[in-house]
Amino acid sequence: MSTAQTLASKATGLTISERGARQIGKLIAAEPAGTMLRVTVSGGGCSGFQYAFAFDDTKTEDDLAYSRDGVTVIIDAISLEYLQGSEIDYVE
């Protein structure tokens, strides 16, 4: 993780676990090179927030990127506000 990403991660409290990075890596392996996991949060009305996970090969200007063990997760600035203190993990 770069210094900037480490500082951003500490400031937001967002982390990627080793298991999460490993599973993301397995899923991305079937995708074209440069593919990242995009996480977004949107309002869901009475149901609360909706969380979406998708593959993306484009990082926009307002995205923050978090990397671990060769995988990158991108999150837009607005969604990041709702994910502070979160960890991206994988459990079977």
Side-chain angles (χ1 to χ4, degrees):
M1 195 178 295
S2 74
T3 303
Q5 289 168 330
T6 300
L7 292 174
S9 182
K10 287 181 181 177
T12 63
L14 182 74
T15 58
I16 304 168
S17 73
E18 182 179 342
R19 291 180 306 218
R22 188 170 39 247
Q23 184 64 24
I24 294 166
K26 287 178 186 177
L27 296 171
I28 287 179
E31 300 296 321
T35 299
M36 301 167 279
L37 177 67
R38 177 175 291 283
V39 179
T40 56
V41 180
S42 58
C46 296
S47 300
F49 293 112
Q50 300 289 321
Y51 300 88
F53 301 87
F55 296 128
D56 198 339
D57 62 358
T58 305
K59 181 179 176 291
T60 65
E61 193 173 296
D62 74 330
D63 286 335
L64 281 146
Y66 296 88
S67 297
R68 177 164 184 169
D69 301 334
V71 300
T72 301
V73 175
I74 51 177
I75 304 169
D76 65 273
I78 294 172
S79 294
L80 186 60
E81 292 179 29
Y82 299 104
L83 294 170
Q84 290 184 12
S86 298
E87 179 177 58
I88 297 174
D89 192 14
Y90 178 79
V91 178
E92 285 191 53

